[in-house]
Amino acid sequence: MSATDGSAGLPQLRTIADYQFGSGAGAALFPPAESLTVKRTSSGRPQQVHADAGRIVSFGTDGRFTLGLEGGRRLDAALAEPAYRVVVDDESEPFVRDEKNVFTKFVLEVGDEIRPGDEVLVVHERGELLAVGTARLDAGAIRDFETGMAVNVREGAPAET
């Protein structure tokens, strides 16, 4: 299977993940020993990758991944903190879990590498993954701005009971 015809296999998807999120992200998202389901478009292009626990990623036509909650859990376990994380406190937690967007004034910490359009993990200050989404600002602006949307939340994690 070659990447040129759009039918990328898991080795190519691991390489893309390493490029997008840093070294080790590909193996964390798509462990070689795990049986994963790759849903493809009619042309054979990978569209989504699922594990038994849920959707790991969707693969955009721009060649970048958008994270599912399961993908967020896997990256949260694999990436050194605070990489690709936006940290919030108790006040924001219920709203973020309910898939409300994160605003800059509620952000406690942010990974330095974050740029607008990056996929990010929204985590509680105690370390728990609350949601996954897309950064709307870069790390410096998220830190400096008093108003504005920091993260467009796509999928929130249900509260653990």
Side-chain angles (χ1 to χ4, degrees), residues 108-130:
L108 304 176
E109 188 179 5
V110 59
D112 289 334
E113 70 291 317
I114 294 174
R115 299 168 312 219
D118 279 352
E119 286 295 296
V120 295
L121 313 174
V122 181
V123 296
H124 190 280
E125 61 186 326
R126 63 178 176 263
E128 187 181 346
L129 180 68
L130 302 178

Side-chain angles (χ1 to χ4, degrees), residues 68-69 73 93-100 122 129-133 153-159:
L69 203 51
R73 286 187 189 104
E93 179 181 9
F95 300 103
V96 172
R97 286 188 187 279
D98 198 32
E99 301 179 354
K100 303 289 189 275
V122 181
L129 180 68
L130 302 178
V132 292
V153 172
R154 182 178 322 96
E155 192 176 348

Side-chain angles (χ1 to χ4, degrees), residues 60-83:
T61 53
D62 63 356
R64 293 176 54 148
F65 292 118
T66 55
L67 292 169
L69 203 51
E70 179 59 19
R73 286 187 189 104
R74 290 169 182 229
L75 281 183
D76 189 38
L79 298 177
E81 293 183 21

Side-chain angles (χ1 to χ4, degrees), residues 20-147:
Q20 185 172 341
F21 298 108
S23 181
L29 287 171
F30 318 118
E34 187 177 4
S35 177
L36 301 172
T37 305
V38 180
K39 295 185 177 180
R40 298 181 180 278
T41 63
S42 56
S43 67
R45 187 180 71 75
Q47 198 169 28
Q48 292 187 343
V49 181
H50 289 259
D52 292 342
R55 182 173 67 87
I56 300 171
V57 295
S58 294
F59 189 57
T61 53
D62 63 356
R64 293 176 54 148
F65 292 118
T66 55
L67 292 169
L69 203 51
E70 179 59 19
R73 286 187 189 104
R74 290 169 182 229
L75 281 183
D76 189 38
L79 298 177
E81 293 183 21
Y84 291 98
R85 289 174 181 82
V86 173
V87 181
V88 298
D89 62 11
D90 288 335
E91 190 178 356
S92 298
E93 179 181 9
F95 300 103
V96 172
R97 286 188 187 279
D98 198 32
E99 301 179 354
K100 303 289 189 275
N101 296 326
V102 177
F103 288 87
T104 55
K105 70 179 181 178
F106 299 109
V107 173
L108 304 176
E109 188 179 5
V110 59
D112 289 334
E113 70 291 317
I114 294 174
R115 299 168 312 219
D118 279 352
E119 286 295 296
V120 295
L121 313 174
V122 181
V123 296
H124 190 280
E125 61 186 326
R126 63 178 176 263
E128 187 181 346
L129 180 68
L130 302 178
V132 292
T134 307
R136 289 288 157 227
L137 300 166
D138 67 33
I142 292 172
R143 268 188 214 101
D144 297 344
F145 291 4
E146 293 295 316
T147 61

